[in-house]
Amino acid sequence: MMIAKVIVDVPAKQTDRTFDYKIPEALEEVIKPGMRVVVPFGPRTIQGFVVELSENSSFAELKEIVEPMDLAPVLNQELLKLGDWLTEQTLSYKISAFQVMLPAALKAKYKKKIRRLAPVESLPTKIQSLFQHDDMILWSEAAGYLSALQKEAAKGTVEVIYEVKERVKKKKLKYVSPLLDKEGLQQAKASLVATAEKQRDLIDHFLDKPEAIELRQIQSLLNISSQTIKSLVKKGILEEKDVEVYRDPFEDRVFAKTAPFPLTNEQENAIAPILATIEEELQKVFLLYGVTGSGKTEIYLQSIQKVLEKGKEAIVLVPEISLTPQMVKRFKGRFGDAVAVLHSGLSSGEKYDEWRRIERKEVKVVVGARSAIFAPFEHLGIIIIDEEHETSYKQEDNPRYHARDVAIERSLYHQCPVILGSATPTLETFARAQKGVYELLTLPKRMNNQSLPSVQIVDMREELRDGNRSMFSRTLIEGLKERLEKKQQIVLFLNKRGHSSFVMCRDCGYVVNCPNCDISLTYHRFNQQMKCHYCGYEAPVPQRCPECNSEHIRYFGTGTQKVEEELGKVLPEARVIRMDVDTTSRKGSHERLLTEFEEGKADILLGTQMIAKGLDFPNITLVGVLSADTMLHLPDFRSSEKTFQLLTQVSGRAGRHELPGEVIIQTYTPEHYSIELASEQNFDRFFEREMMVRKSHQYPPYYYIALITVSHENVAMVASITDKIAKFVQSKLSRESHVLGPVASPISRIKNRYRYQCLIKYKREPELNKTLKTVLEHYQQDIVSKGLQISIDVNPYILM
Ligand code: ADP
Ligand code: ZN
Ligand code: ZN
């Protein structure tokens, strides 16, 4: 008797283990690990993943698997193992770990069909009758034939099609190809009547190029009618066929083929160790550290080239917002159709198409956002993570994985290099590179020695002193007017994220910080109190600034809409495009707005952090940052780091072309090191300064952190449970570790659920995950019956 061990699709603690099912005899050959199956579960039938086959079970009464859901496994051995690892690392359910690795189309409701890809006659007699009337049959019609069909699927003569309800209709085009060989074509040509000139042209074409060609294309190429083609089809000389084309989001664009550049000396030095590890098939993590424009992408491209030459595959991760046509063009231009692009703008049908192209080994390179890290390649030769500091590489739902960790785990399996690229690496990564855990590769200067834009810091306190109460400094207004006159373009950048605001003195820039945690206190309007969201410290808003005694001390924050209104008043003639979550929520609107700006339909692009990168337009000569402080004083120990990264990024937007660029940064705290050093683009000094802060306040990379967030509609219950959890965790940890809180989360209520958190800081706690699991298990009953939520984020990036 064969047994399948199945992880069922019920994301809950009690079901987070394998269940044994008997494999019906008829399916014994069919069921394989990594396949999805339908199984009875209580009164229902549900989906599950087969993770293992076995010959015996410790349970006596076993139910039978109803049927498989796929003809081939959707997860290979490596990905099954990766699922185990993800579960351990992120404390998620196994079913969530498996599902996150698959395209959404496989999770959705769909109709499943089997389609024949080869002539009926060439199929085994047993299944020929299935396809007698149609080349497509319903999955339900295939019962009893699955084993035979599976063998065919492995040969590529049949395939399973998932029809996702939305729009998974395959796009098809008519293609024409010759049915005869060269000799046959020649004979056919000779037998044509003298007047059939067009038909002869057509045959000549195929004598020259026997491959199939799209109907419309050959019609226009030879200037012939569809009638001409039809008549040769009737004579059995040519064949007309519908061919499925993938919905390629960039299909309308033609990518000119690019050749590798001869590398500069700096690039040669940086790429050599990478090429060596590819050659020797060694696992290694590199940090490729170089400013924007220093030639990192060219190194990625040439490393991938080497990987392809070895017959292996490559994954390139880029942040969602940099996944622009410009970016894609560089990869498709070099590697053509071997490249698949995965990004969130694709419909789930389109994503599924790209995933299938990977599975069928039609592509060798995947360029995509975070989830592309799970591309089902079997011979990975390199993984590249560009802009490795981007927080979008961390998934904020279960399983809360970081793509960098997954990349390193996969590289261990495949014994291949990982390249992390950035001009402003995370402190964690740079510290590892300095310790030699990662190998540091540096590109010290921009290509062509292009100079960095000049950066001016404007002190907004002085503006106020001189009577300017507006949100635009005089310097910025001048700059704007000058560009409008010269018909050059401007990017105005406003950072507004999160929901909290801090209290600041507009006269001297003083911000009220927590005495214990060195993060800014968050202002609460309802009781006029300020509060620390790490440790719970609380204080009333001071009437006067403790630094300079000014009365201009209050909470701070402005939105993009407000700025747009103000701009309208000061510069009514300026044409403004506003880009924020409100104007870009519709699919494709992000790109449309950018294109409008590129085409010169606006003078000013105003937006939030989503405009900080990817923009590379020659006519942008001024970048203005309205308030560098809003991000500096987020209640987050990474706020200095994020400010530095963002300002460096933004500055990189100006003057990348012939026109010189200028950057104006407005701030109330011009002396803050992250603003000062970002204006000099001095990462090394910033790293030193910030490491000192992290060390003295016990933050990463000196300590690890984990965040527990508890939420429920009843605030008293949330507070008391969080308190119990904090005490329990503390009792299990070593002396070196600290548990901060419980304290209300910075966003203290979402959808009427109150939120409390506690933050764990630790250096070495081998038992931590076990302890945290115990917490989840202990409250399991309340989670199920009382709607309590407990989320645990190991290495969180968002502390809200
Ligand atoms: P980064 O990825 O660090 O921003 P890129 O690889 O995009 O840098 O390089 C910046 C510019 O220099 C690009 O336009 C690129 O085509 C060009 N470039 C890169 N390497 C070379 C080279 N070896 N020779 C000439 N041009 C190069
Ligand atoms: Zn003051
Ligand atoms: Zn504190």
Side-chain angles (χ1 to χ4, degrees):
M1 185 170 73
M2 286 298 284
I3 310 293
K5 296 191 175 293
V6 177
I7 298 284
V8 294
D9 188 3
V10 183
K13 195 79 229 158
Q14 303 91 320
T15 49
D16 192 31
R17 59 171 178 91
T18 58
F19 288 83
D20 287 1
Y21 285 93
K22 189 169 170 298
I23 302 176
E25 232 160 85
L27 293 177
E28 271 187 5
E29 301 265 288
V30 176
I31 304 294
K32 309 219 159 76
M35 219 179 235
R36 296 173 310 153
V37 289
V38 177
V39 291
F41 195 78
R44 303 177 289 159
T45 57
I46 58 173
Q47 301 183 15
F49 285 83
V50 176
V51 291
E52 209 183 317
L53 298 183
S54 158
E55 301 206 326
N56 41 54
S57 167
S58 43
F59 300 94
E61 298 269 310
L62 288 186
K63 292 184 183 167
E64 283 195 350
I65 285 180
V66 178
E67 62 165 0
M69 297 181 61
D70 311 289
L71 286 183
V74 290
L75 294 173
N76 60 31
Q77 281 300 333
E78 184 217 344
L79 294 177
L80 281 173
K81 263 186 63 187
L82 192 65
D84 293 344
W85 176 86
L86 265 179
T87 309
E88 275 302 307
Q89 294 293 310
T90 65
L91 300 167
S92 67
Y93 300 128
K94 213 158 250 182
I95 188 74
S96 322
F98 288 154
Q99 278 172 341
V100 79
M101 296 193 269
L102 294 175
L106 288 183
K107 287 169 242 164
K109 290 251 171 285
Y110 53 78
K111 242 182 165 163
K112 200 161 44 175
K113 294 179 175 176
I114 301 173
R115 183 157 66 128
R116 122 185 114 75
L117 299 166
V120 176
E121 311 80 64
S122 70
L123 296 174
T125 27
K126 189 176 175 214
I127 54 175
Q128 279 184 13
S129 62
L130 283 175
F131 297 99
Q132 217 49 272
H133 306 292
D134 200 345
D135 61 358
M136 191 113 87
I137 59 166
L138 291 174
W139 180 267
S140 51
E141 298 173 75
Y145 298 92
L146 287 172
S147 169
L149 285 168
Q150 187 173 48
K151 290 193 188 95
E152 294 308 303
K155 283 191 265 172
T157 54
V158 303
E159 68 168 346
V160 182
I161 308 224
Y162 304 91
E163 285 192 353
V164 179
K165 287 231 170 73
E166 34 152 318
R167 50 179 285 229
V168 85
K169 276 256 149 49
K170 298 252 140 48
K171 192 173 159 192
K172 285 181 182 174
L173 290 177
K174 277 208 177 341
Y175 270 70
V176 191
S177 56
L179 276 173
L180 308 173
D181 60 6
K182 231 180 175 119
E183 238 167 81
L185 285 177
Q186 231 119 29
Q187 280 172 11
K189 185 177 158 192
S191 69
L192 290 176
V193 293
T195 50
E197 215 173 290
K198 290 286 177 189
Q199 295 186 20
R200 261 197 299 277
D201 286 354
L202 194 51
I203 294 179
D204 277 339
H205 169 89
F206 285 112
L207 277 168
D208 193 29
K209 293 190 187 105
E211 355 15 287
I213 180 168
E214 201 202 324
L215 183 78
R216 282 185 314 200
Q217 201 181 342
I218 191 152
Q219 276 183 265
S220 68
L221 195 69
L222 303 178
N223 190 22
I224 53 175
S225 68
S226 59
Q227 218 38 53
T228 312
I229 296 169
K230 285 251 156 56
S231 56
L232 288 189
V233 170
K234 262 195 216 133
K235 288 177 192 160
I237 300 167
L238 299 184
E239 179 185 38
E240 229 182 70
K241 238 189 344 206
D242 284 334
V243 171
E244 173 195 330
V245 289
Y246 298 106
R247 289 160 291 226
D248 182 345
F250 296 99
E251 69 185 338
D252 299 332
R253 288 164 242 244
V254 185
F255 295 101
K257 197 97 187 129
T258 63
F261 287 107
L263 296 180
T264 61
N265 281 338
E266 284 85 5
Q267 284 173 316
E268 282 290 357
N269 289 339
I271 203 173
I274 300 173
L275 296 182
T277 49
I278 296 171
E279 187 54 48
E280 292 160 31
E281 310 195 356
L282 294 177
Q283 191 272 347
K284 191 160 203 177
V285 183
F286 295 97
L287 168 59
L288 180 58
Y289 163 52
V291 295
T292 321
S294 60
K296 296 188 294 295
T297 309
E298 187 60 32
I299 291 190
Y300 303 154
L301 291 168
Q302 298 199 18
S303 305
I304 294 170
Q305 176 112 34
K306 170 95 178 172
V307 165
L308 298 187
E309 280 161 15
K310 295 210 67 165
K312 295 192 176 182
E313 298 126 359
I315 295 176
V316 184
L317 297 190
V318 299
E320 186 65 52
I321 29 186
S322 339
L323 208 46
T324 56
Q326 291 165 317
M327 182 72 175
V328 170
K329 188 162 94 187
R330 296 194 65 182
F331 287 88
K332 289 216 170 182
R334 196 64 61 85
F335 305 116
D337 289 341
V339 179
V341 180
L342 295 172
H343 65 90
S344 68
L346 299 179
S347 70
S348 61
E350 287 165 335
K351 273 191 201 144
Y352 172 61
D353 282 351
E354 297 295 84
W355 185 81
R356 274 205 324 167
R357 290 177 64 207
I358 301 166
E359 231 204 349
R360 290 174 169 187
K361 310 205 171 0
E362 292 172 8
V363 296
K364 296 275 180 189
V365 181
V366 164
V367 181
R370 181 179 63 231
S371 62
I373 195 61
F374 298 114
F377 283 133
E378 289 181 343
H379 307 283
L380 260 179
I382 196 166
I383 303 174
I384 294 163
I385 304 186
D386 193 30
E387 312 274 6
E388 73 89 31
H389 59 275
E390 270 294 316
T391 45
S392 62
Y393 289 129
K394 172 76 191 285
Q395 167 144 314
E396 293 303 336
D397 304 323
N398 274 318
R400 297 169 195 273
Y401 68 90
H402 195 297
R404 191 200 300 125
D405 301 330
V406 178
I408 294 173
E409 185 65 16
R410 290 197 76 179
S411 76
L412 287 166
Y413 181 93
H414 290 278
Q415 288 298 300
C416 72
V418 174
I419 307 181
L420 309 174
S422 179
T424 52
T426 55
L427 263 73
E428 287 91 330
T429 296
F430 202 76
R432 278 184 198 131
Q434 283 203 327
K435 277 170 77 179
V437 182
Y438 301 160
E439 184 169 340
L440 180 62
L441 308 169
T442 307
L443 290 176
K445 53 179 198 275
R446 276 183 153 182
M447 281 291 135
N448 318 324
N449 291 318
Q450 208 180 21
S451 64
L452 291 165
S454 77
V455 180
Q456 256 199 85
I457 299 181
V458 178
D459 187 343
M460 292 304 277
R461 298 170 303 191
E462 263 172 40
E463 294 292 312
L464 193 67
R465 251 169 255 149
D466 294 347
N468 176 12
R469 294 181 155 266
S470 106
M471 59 177 82
F472 309 109
S473 62
R474 290 158 298 179
T475 318
L476 184 58
I477 291 285
E478 300 259 293
L480 291 171
K481 285 189 175 146
E482 187 193 324
R483 296 317 183 301
L484 289 178
E485 251 160 53
K486 290 189 184 158
K487 305 246 173 299
Q488 295 173 353
Q489 288 178 302
I490 304 139
V491 170
L492 277 188
F493 181 78
L494 176 92
N495 198 53
K496 171 124 179 107
R497 55 196 288 180
H499 299 256
S500 60
S501 40
F502 52 95
V503 174
M504 184 177 78
C505 169
R506 285 190 71 182
D507 275 321
C508 77
Y510 174 81
V511 169
V512 191
N513 272 0
C514 172
N516 315 319
C517 305
D518 195 42
I519 59 157
S520 57
L521 297 177
T522 300
Y523 171 69
H524 288 257
R525 198 185 295 247
F526 72 94
N527 60 359
Q528 295 279 311
Q529 291 279 102
M530 303 174 303
K531 193 164 180 175
C532 170
H533 287 286
Y534 286 9
C535 73
Y537 173 87
E538 209 166 330
V541 178
Q543 296 295 317
R544 288 177 171 275
C545 171
E547 285 286 309
C548 74
N549 212 28
S550 153
E551 289 173 5
H552 291 132
I553 183 157
R554 59 180 77 127
Y555 78 95
F556 198 80
T558 335
T560 39
Q561 226 168 330
K562 183 96 189 294
V563 179
E564 194 180 14
E565 281 168 29
E566 288 294 308
L567 269 178
K569 286 183 203 150
V570 200
L571 296 167
E573 72 278 20
R575 297 166 302 163
V576 181
I577 288 182
R578 175 162 67 94
M579 254 172 102
D580 54 26
V581 281
D582 297 330
T583 63
T584 56
S585 51
R586 283 200 29 235
K587 186 184 161 186
S589 53
H590 186 260
E591 211 194 316
R592 197 194 71 241
L593 291 175
L594 281 184
T595 310
E596 277 177 25
F597 188 63
E598 184 175 18
E599 288 168 352
K601 291 184 180 146
D603 309 300
I604 301 177
L605 181 65
L606 164 68
T608 53
Q609 60 261 39
M610 67 172 66
I611 61 171
K613 37 192 93 69
L615 277 177
D616 189 8
F617 307 142
N619 205 28
I620 300 174
T621 58
L622 173 63
V623 171
V625 179
L626 288 172
S627 50
D629 309 277
T630 48
M631 48 187 146
L632 195 53
H633 304 304
L634 285 172
D636 181 338
F637 71 87
R638 288 193 180 87
S639 62
S640 298
E641 181 180 5
K642 284 177 179 164
T643 302
F644 181 85
Q645 288 165 351
L646 215 47
L647 291 181
T648 310
Q649 285 286 357
V650 174
S651 306
R653 291 303 114 212
R656 299 202 52 191
H657 299 265
E658 297 85 65
L659 299 169
E662 192 189 349
V663 178
I664 297 174
I665 299 176
Q666 301 189 154
T667 172
Y668 289 89
T669 40
E671 65 283 349
H672 193 283
Y673 60 96
S674 68
I675 292 177
E676 212 170 64
L677 295 173
S679 75
E680 297 167 16
Q681 308 240 342
N682 193 339
F683 176 80
D684 295 348
R685 285 256 328 270
F686 173 77
F687 177 77
E688 279 170 26
R689 279 293 307 265
E690 183 66 10
M691 284 295 272
M692 277 165 24
V693 175
R694 300 289 179 90
K695 189 170 185 182
S696 67
H697 287 275
Q698 304 182 321
Y699 290 128
Y702 292 97
Y703 276 72
Y704 293 106
I705 53 172
L707 181 72
I708 304 178
T709 306
V710 181
S711 79
H712 193 268
E713 286 168 6
N714 180 337
V715 66
M717 177 171 159
V718 176
S720 91
I721 288 182
T722 316
D723 189 48
K724 278 186 205 138
I725 293 176
K727 292 209 169 84
F728 172 75
V729 173
Q730 180 82 70
S731 74
K732 295 283 173 190
L733 297 182
S734 67
R735 277 264 184 79
E736 275 198 306
S737 304
H738 312 280
V739 178
L740 300 188
V743 55
S745 304
I747 306 172
S748 56
R749 194 165 57 151
I750 296 178
K751 290 189 187 149
N752 280 323
R753 299 176 65 89
Y754 291 89
R755 305 170 77 239
Y756 266 68
Q757 65 183 36
C758 55
L759 187 67
I760 307 164
K761 292 182 179 177
Y762 63 100
K763 265 186 186 300
R764 229 186 68 84
E765 290 292 345
E767 299 287 292
L768 180 66
N769 279 18
K770 211 172 116 194
T771 305
L772 296 176
K773 254 189 181 162
T774 315
V775 168
L776 288 175
E777 267 154 35
H778 182 81
Y779 288 101
Q780 182 58 29
Q781 203 47 46
D782 292 343
I783 290 172
V784 174
S785 61
K786 296 189 188 150
L788 181 76
Q789 276 176 17
I790 300 179
S791 80
I792 297 182
D793 196 345
V794 184
N795 296 323
Y797 280 78
I798 294 179
L799 297 153
M800 300 289 194

